Amino acid sequence: MEAQTVDIIDEKVTEQSIADRPVLRERRESDDAMIIDSWLRSGLQYPIFTAECGRPPIRLRPPPGLLLSQNRTFLQKILPLTSVAVLCDPEDSDHIIGWICYEEDCLHFIFVKYNFRRLGFANELMEKANLPDECEVSWRTPALNFFKKYSWTWNPYRSWR
């Protein structure tokens, strides 16, 4: 067997990653599958309504798959009616890094892929949304705690149409 050698021209390879130069664009219909999938995977960890209610708690569990199917239908209806900004790789605009779904005074959901978190991309998406400091949020997630300047009012009915 012949050994293969690799010539190293420069030890310091300067390669720009997509983390250095994402591009903001409007939602395309072809983005909906990724947006809905990421919303469901993240959002259903923190459902709009909890499964327990009352005192003492009444533990009512929905049938298997109900939350997933109903929320998918719900999201398919609201996406075209809201503003959605997508953060993507400039060399491949189909490679989505994150997205935000909002109205002028309501944040419905914000998502950034795990490997791109803590790089300021969520703040960039929030700047694009230009939400007032006091606004509503229709879906609660722990990520809202990172946006200290906002005073959130939770209104799960806001996105119902």
Side-chain angles (χ1 to χ4, degrees), residues 62-79:
L66 180 68
L67 282 178
L68 186 64
S69 67
Q70 292 302 307
N71 277 295
R72 182 176 303 281
T73 302
F74 168 71
L75 298 178
Q76 288 169 336
K77 289 180 181 177
I78 72 163
L79 277 179

Side-chain angles (χ1 to χ4, degrees), residues 48-97:
I48 290 178
F49 301 106
T50 61
E52 294 184 10
C53 62
R55 198 177 291 272
I58 301 167
R59 290 175 177 79
L60 299 173
R61 294 203 172 125
L66 180 68
L67 282 178
L68 186 64
S69 67
Q70 292 302 307
N71 277 295
R72 182 176 303 281
T73 302
F74 168 71
L75 298 178
Q76 288 169 336
K77 289 180 181 177
I78 72 163
L79 277 179
L81 303 173
T82 58
S83 298
V84 179
V86 174
L87 196 62
C88 65
D89 179 356
E91 294 174 11
D92 179 7
S93 63
D94 290 332
H95 180 200
I96 297 173
I97 295 169

Side-chain angles (χ1 to χ4, degrees), residues 110-121:
I110 187 169
F111 175 82
V112 175
K113 285 184 176 178
Y114 183 79
N115 291 338
F116 298 98
R117 293 181 184 164
R118 305 245 177 193
L119 297 173
F121 294 140

Side-chain angles (χ1 to χ4, degrees), residues 14 43 94 104 107 121 146 151 153:
T14 57
D94 290 332
E104 68 180 35
L107 172 66
F121 294 140
F146 292 106
S151 175
T153 301

Side-chain angles (χ1 to χ4, degrees), residues 7-70:
D7 293 330
I8 298 176
I9 297 171
D10 184 8
E11 289 184 24
K12 292 183 180 179
V13 178
T14 57
E15 182 182 324
Q16 288 185 340
S17 70
I18 61 175
D20 295 331
R21 50 192 168 88
V23 171
L24 263 172
R25 64 170 173 80
E26 296 300 314
R27 170 193 146 266
R28 300 180 195 147
E29 217 173 293
S30 61
D31 300 332
D32 287 0
M34 185 278 179
I35 290 171
I36 290 171
D37 184 60
S38 57
W39 194 331
L40 289 173
R41 286 175 187 259
S42 298
L44 288 181
Q45 294 175 32
Y46 312 99
I48 290 178
F49 301 106
T50 61
E52 294 184 10
C53 62
R55 198 177 291 272
I58 301 167
R59 290 175 177 79
L60 299 173
R61 294 203 172 125
L66 180 68
L67 282 178
L68 186 64
S69 67
Q70 292 302 307

